[in-house]
Amino acid sequence: MHERRRLAMLCALVWLVAVAILAGAVLRLADGNALPDDLVIVLLVAAFGIGAALALLWVRIDLRVLRPVARLEREIDTILHAEPDRALDLAAPGAIEALVGRVASLAVRGDRARRELGAAVAATTERLEDERSRLAAVLRDLSEGVVLCDAQHRVLLFNDAARHALGAPAALGLGRKLSDAVEDGDLAAQFDALRDAGPESRAPVEMAFNGKPARMAVVVEPDGAVIGYVLSFAGAPPPPEHAGASLPPRPIFYDFGLLATGPMPRLFGAGRLTELAFVVFDTETTGLKPDEGDEIVQIGAVRIVGGVVRDGETFDTLVDPDRPIPASSTRFHGLTDEDVAGAPGIAAALAGLRDFTGEAVLVAQNAAFDMRFVRARQHQAGVDFDMPVLDTMLLSAHLHPYEADHTLDGLAERYGVSVVGRHTALGDARVTARVLCRMLPLLVASGVETLDQADAACARAARRFRA
């Protein structure tokens, strides 16, 4: 984009210089006398002709070279950072058709080498994946509640029994403080006492946690440093409807990689996108105009921590809109008045979403639409959605300015994301979350590394949409 502007300014400068030289020559020929009318006409025609020639030259260079080069750059970035299996596909390559062909050949070679390397690595990692699956299965089926935290009380692991024993709080999530979900002042004091004790006094201790008997054991590095603790307590069996819930067979309720990242950054604009937590959400509604009485009928959200979609950490609720759902809206999301009868009202639903979000960055596809509904009703819930909000549609417009399709279906196809549960709030949130994870390395490669920079990129794209 910068190169296009520079070239356009150069053409304009050349035109101004040419006109100035032409005018100077004519004035010199006139030698102080009034210019004849026909000479003035010649001067104007010449100036217009030079300008038209330069404009045509600029348009041809832009259409045949600059735009294809920019599209090629974005295609390469997408292959490198988001979708390695993507075949290079550049419509209207213009004057760089031969270059595109050679780049495509290189991409095929790179893909072949990557697949060969992947096959070699797969044999080595198969054993680790088996152990990971066994760990997840044990955690899922263990009747005892288990929570692992680091020294900052961030949750690194928890199982289903722990979640249900704690009342399935929306604030329980990887990377979040355990105190966000459970208020227990003795927890920090007990951990501090164990950490400060000598190695010979660090045996697991019995304690009360959340009003129940529990056991705390510290996690110690080989060098003796205490880096966290494990809480175990009597669990609770999942409710009967759990078997039909939308959790995947192997929920991701752990991330030991958080141990190496240090404290999760708070929401400062300089926070790096790769280090932030995101909550990607979507709504289904009775219509398009909250200021004319339309209401939310479903909210779905999923958390991203460490650049990974945590399918086990979701928020999904129907909402009673306290008004009939028009058939025209049911045609899109499939929800009827009977489906939402008895569901929570908007106040309870938004309060739950706010608890689930915590200090994460909110993300949505066409976020302006969803946030209009959320902010129009947040006062009823007594909460404030004042956190930063990013829009995948606008981020796509920043990353792919020459593409016309920035819809969720278009983004899913561009990034090779499978679409499941389309036009359900949780289904669309999951698709959007996977799209965002593909976008993050592309954003960093384009120079958008921080939350402030991402917000500025969205603002620029929004201005282009409005223009």
Side-chain angles (χ1 to χ4, degrees):
M1 295 294 286
H2 295 300
E3 191 61 36
R4 292 179 68 238
R5 284 196 292 268
R6 282 195 291 268
L7 188 56
M9 292 175 63
L10 179 61
C11 288
L13 181 61
V14 169
W15 178 72
L16 289 174
V17 170
V19 170
I21 292 174
L22 187 61
V26 170
L27 289 174
R28 185 163 183 168
L29 289 174
D31 196 20
N33 299 318
L35 294 176
D37 291 343
D38 55 349
L39 193 57
V40 172
I41 294 173
V42 169
L43 176 61
L44 292 175
V45 170
F48 177 79
I50 293 172
L54 287 171
L56 288 174
L57 178 63
W58 152 249
V59 170
R60 184 167 180 81
I61 292 174
D62 185 43
L63 292 177
R64 298 280 295 170
V65 179
L66 297 181
R67 288 178 181 266
V69 166
R71 287 196 295 268
L72 177 60
E73 179 184 1
R74 298 300 185 190
E75 280 285 306
I76 293 173
D77 280 345
T78 302
I79 293 172
L80 286 176
H81 302 289
E83 191 185 354
D85 293 331
R86 180 184 178 90
L88 186 64
D89 180 19
L90 192 67
I96 65 167
E97 184 173 1
L99 175 62
V100 171
R102 286 169 173 79
V103 171
S105 297
L106 283 175
V108 170
R109 290 187 186 181
D111 182 61
R112 186 184 305 122
R114 182 185 60 81
R115 291 177 184 278
E116 292 173 355
L117 178 62
V121 172
T124 305
T125 58
E126 185 176 357
R127 178 178 57 84
L128 296 176
E129 181 61 23
D130 286 343
E131 293 178 357
R132 174 184 169 100
S133 298
R134 292 190 189 100
L135 172 62
V138 169
L139 287 173
R140 185 176 62 246
D141 299 332
L142 196 65
S143 61
E144 188 176 50
V146 177
V147 180
L148 170 65
C149 297
D150 66 4
Q152 288 79 39
H153 305 284
R154 293 181 304 156
V155 176
L156 307 178
L157 173 152
F158 65 96
N159 63 354
D160 233 10
R163 185 172 67 168
H164 287 288
L166 298 177
L172 180 63
L174 295 179
R176 298 188 66 177
K177 292 289 189 68
L178 184 57
S179 58
D180 290 346
V182 181
E183 295 183 6
D184 196 318
D186 295 334
L187 184 67
Q190 186 67 66
F191 172 66
D192 290 341
L194 274 177
R195 180 178 55 185
D196 297 339
E200 68 283 351
S201 304
R202 288 175 179 166
V205 298
E206 304 297 328
M207 59 174 291
F209 172 65
N210 197 34
K212 300 176 183 177
R215 191 168 185 262
M216 175 184 283
V218 293
V219 180
V220 184
E221 289 275 48
D223 62 1
V226 176
I227 60 172
Y229 57 91
V230 177
L231 277 175
S232 56
F233 47 89
E241 67 270 20
H242 179 70
S246 57
L247 291 177
R250 193 187 71 189
I252 303 174
F253 284 156
Y254 62 97
D255 190 342
F256 301 128
L258 294 175
L259 278 171
T261 64
M264 291 289 284
R266 295 178 67 83
L267 290 182
F268 296 112
R272 297 179 65 83
L273 293 175
T274 53
E275 298 173 351
L276 294 173
F278 301 92
V279 166
V280 185
F281 83 107
D282 184 68
T283 63
E284 300 297 339
T285 64
T286 61
L288 306 178
K289 299 177 180 180
D291 52 340
E292 296 183 12
D294 281 318
E295 300 285 352
I296 294 173
V297 296
Q298 188 178 40
I299 304 175
V302 63
R303 194 181 309 280
I304 295 176
V305 180
V308 178
V309 179
R310 307 294 174 173
D311 280 307
E313 294 187 45
T314 60
F315 179 86
D316 186 18
T317 183
L318 293 171
V319 181
D320 186 348
D322 199 27
R323 59 159 290 178
I325 300 176
S328 57
S329 296
T330 298
R331 184 164 58 89
F332 285 98
H333 49 59
L335 296 174
T336 64
D337 295 337
E338 290 75 18
D339 294 324
V340 300
I346 189 62
L350 288 182
L353 177 64
R354 187 65 186 85
D355 285 343
F356 181 77
T357 302
E359 292 188 338
V361 179
L362 270 180
V363 182
Q365 170 73 10
N366 190 13
F369 174 82
D370 299 283
M371 292 307 297
R372 282 179 63 205
F373 280 87
V374 168
R375 288 180 172 149
R377 305 293 182 256
Q378 62 184 1
H379 66 281
Q380 296 176 233
V383 296
D384 191 1
F385 286 83
D386 56 354
M387 69 287 292
V389 181
L390 294 180
D391 188 338
T392 48
M393 180 181 72
L394 297 179
L395 291 175
S396 172
H398 163 77
L399 289 171
H400 308 282
Y402 300 118
E403 296 287 348
D405 188 358
H406 301 290
T407 63
L408 184 56
D409 290 318
L411 296 185
E413 181 179 358
R414 185 175 306 148
Y415 292 117
V417 173
S418 299
V419 177
V420 179
R422 188 73 170 96
H423 294 302
T424 66
L426 182 57
D428 285 355
R430 280 177 163 151
V431 173
T432 305
R434 283 166 171 74
V435 165
L436 178 65
C437 287
R438 297 290 180 92
M439 281 182 167
L440 289 177
L442 278 173
L443 288 167
V444 172
S446 73
V448 176
E449 300 183 0
T450 68
L451 184 60
D452 271 346
Q453 291 170 337
D455 187 63
C458 286
R460 289 193 298 270
R463 286 195 294 271
R464 290 200 301 272
F465 274 124
R466 287 194 293 265

